[in-house]
């Protein structure tokens, strides 16, 4: 695994197999601002004048220094125009450079920050490197040894290296948690039934003060978590309720409750899904895996917050023991739900988990993460998650933070009228609201289980893994993205201490 460090150095002192230099399209006098020597400057000018290096966003060229100095090779990478260059572009470019370094087979490489350094730029560059070099190859028996990942990336600065190293140290912990969430999410469904997810969560018990416990099916039955039990009925792999507690704040701060959907495989149940792309429903556990990643990150950072993570985990299967359309379930909080489609299972298990969390922990706020609806992907596409809920404050904070993290989030409304769509004629609620506004009616359903505690729901159906319509981004390799971990950790870093 790659490690990122920050170092203060002048260009002529740097000994490296590969130096990455980014240049803007409209940048003049880059030589001075980057502290380049005359040999390197002359080479770059020639490549630009010959139109071999165009400086458009992401374009790149590699040349050898032929023994002139301590740098073996240089990678020039185009940064596009300065006006369009934000932290997200820095993340993407750093990721591209890291992937190129891997392709070249170098053991280490250096990056010159692309412009005047500040903490946000260092953060973005290190995130790009650490997230792009992730790959899931646990199940590849051949070719594992053939690809060497660079062991070290050095960000070269001309001052304040200690301050910037502290930023990178935090990014190291956070990206490790993102990659951990990706690793769990990418597990195939045969190797990750609810019991396996529960064991993996138990491995976090005791780590940096996290407490983990698992509620078994019989316990859920006895306390009335009938939503989770019902959805899990069709599978031989019993459901589990994973509960994590992290108390980093001694000042009696009411906890934040994070709830993550972890359907280890969603066939749709008796309302069976069509076969096309059904394999992707192994990613229906991504919300829960992100919650595990968030807990791991905040605990390893030692954040002064109290956080409870609750992850209902089930396998949604069709069988003679499955729950069915027509069933009426009495949920943990006493409300009754008429099932009209067993494929709308996520809201059932989340609702029980939220109601349980509310009753046990009296949280100050609830945030749930779930691959909840295909309708969300129709509404916002595969690059933006939806935020829907009852707390304008939470929705605005998360949207704002998402602009920095690049984990795009957009809010959808939750007007009173949406609740009409999920009223049942025979029970309090029904579990589907028809096609119009499908992502919103799913959230309207969940709002019945929050006990009026400030709450938002993140529908990550489009963004939790790379799918049809996902934009190519260097730092999101194929498969699970770990969406939500970075944004939620930033949110929890910034919450008031009460
Ligand atoms: N896990 C799916 C949602 C989903 C579908 C996520 C496709 C990502 C891609 C969820 O359990 C589901 O099946 N939802 C149904 C709800 C419908 C029956 C009201 C859906 O979106 O089709
Ligand atoms: Mg479903
Ligand atoms: Zn599902």
């Amino acid at each position: 695994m790659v490690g990122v460090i920050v170092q203060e150095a002048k260009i002529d002192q740097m000994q490296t197999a590969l130096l990455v230099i980014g240049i803007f399209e409209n940048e003049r006098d880059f030589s001075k601002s980057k502290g380049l020597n005359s040999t390197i400057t002359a080479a770059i000018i020639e490549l630009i004048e010959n139109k071999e290096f165009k400086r458009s966003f992401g374009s790149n060229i590699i040349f050898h220094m032929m023994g002139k100095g301590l740098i073996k090779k240089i990678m020039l990478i185009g940064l596009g125009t300065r006006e369009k260059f934000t932290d997200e572009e820095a993340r993407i470019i750093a990721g591209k450079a890291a992937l190129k370094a891997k392709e070249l087979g170098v053991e280490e490489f250096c990056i010159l920050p692309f412009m005047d350094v500040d903490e946000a730029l260092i953060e973005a560059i290190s995130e790009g490197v650490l997230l792009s070099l992730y790959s899931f190859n646990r199940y590849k028996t051949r070719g594992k040894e053939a690809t060497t990942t660079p062991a070290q990336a050095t960000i070269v600065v001309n001052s304040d290296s200690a301050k910037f190293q502290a930023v990178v140290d935090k990014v190291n912990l956070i990206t490790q948690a993102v990659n951990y969430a990706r690793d769990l999410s990418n597990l195939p469904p045969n190797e990750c039934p609810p019991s396996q997810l529960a064991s993996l969560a138990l491995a976090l018990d005791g780590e940096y003060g996290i407490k983990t416990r698992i509620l078994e099916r019989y316990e859920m039955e006895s306390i009335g978590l009938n939503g989770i039990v019902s959805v899990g009925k069709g599978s031989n792999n019993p459901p589990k309720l994973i509960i994590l507690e992290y108390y980093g704040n001694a000042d009696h701060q009411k906890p934040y409750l994070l709830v993550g959907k972890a359907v280890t495989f969603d066939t749709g149940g008796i309302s069976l899904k069509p076969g096309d792309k059904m394999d992707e429903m192994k990613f229906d556990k991504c919300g829960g895996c992100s919650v595990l990643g968030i807990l791991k990150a905040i605990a390893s950072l030692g954040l002064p917050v109290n956080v409870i993570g609750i992850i209902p985990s089930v396998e949604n299967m069709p069988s003679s023991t499955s729950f069915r359309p027509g069933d009426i379930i009495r949920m943990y909080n006493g409300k009754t739900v008429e099932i009209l489609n067993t494929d709308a299972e996520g809201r059932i298990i989340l609702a029980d988990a939220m109601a349980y969390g509310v009753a046990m922990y009296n949280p100050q706020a609830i945030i749930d993460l779930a691959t909840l609806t295909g309708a969300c992907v129709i509404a916002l596409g595969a690059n933006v998650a939806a935020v829907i809920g009852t707390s304008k404050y939470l929705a605005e904070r998360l949207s704002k933070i998402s602009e920095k993290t690049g984990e795009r989030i957009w809010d959808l409304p939750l007007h009173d009228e949406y609740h009409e769509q999920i009223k049942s004629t025979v029970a309090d609620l029904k579990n589907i609201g028809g096609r119009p506004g499908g992502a919103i009616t799913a959230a309207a359903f969940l709002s019945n289980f929050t006990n009026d505690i400030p709450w938002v729901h993140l529908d990550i159906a489009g963004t939790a893994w790379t799918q049809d319509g996902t934009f190519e981004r260097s730092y999101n390799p194929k498969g699970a993205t770990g969406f939500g971990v970075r944004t939620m950790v930033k949110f929890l870093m910034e919450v008031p201490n009460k």
Side-chain angles (χ1 to χ4, degrees), residues 202-221:
L202 271 177
L204 289 181
D205 184 58
E207 224 187 298
Y208 322 105
I210 295 176
K211 277 189 277 183
T212 309
R213 66 196 168 93
I214 310 296
L215 285 196
E216 300 295 334
R217 176 167 52 193
Y218 73 90
E219 294 167 287
M220 293 194 264
E221 276 168 358

Side-chain angles (χ1 to χ4, degrees), residues 225 227-232 241 259-263 284 311-314 331 344-354 445-446:
L225 285 162
I228 301 172
V229 171
S230 297
V231 178
L241 185 64
V259 182
K261 170 179 175 182
V263 176
D284 215 19
I311 301 161
S313 186
V314 299
M331 304 288 283
E345 85 297 342
R347 62 197 74 183
I348 307 289
I349 63 168
L350 285 172
D352 253 1
M354 280 169 41
F445 181 91
L446 294 178

Side-chain angles (χ1 to χ4, degrees), residues 411-431:
D411 68 307
L412 296 179
L414 185 55
H415 301 120
D416 289 345
E417 290 80 352
Y418 289 105
H419 293 277
E420 299 300 319
Q421 280 175 247
I422 49 163
K423 278 194 179 147
S424 164
T425 52
V426 291
D428 300 332
L429 297 164
K430 56 184 179 184
N431 80 326

Side-chain angles (χ1 to χ4, degrees), residues 261 263 266-269 273 281 284 316 341-346 372:
K261 170 179 175 182
V263 176
D266 183 11
T267 64
K273 285 183 181 296
M281 285 298 113
D284 215 19
N316 190 18
N341 188 319
T342 61
D343 199 10
E345 85 297 342
L372 203 62

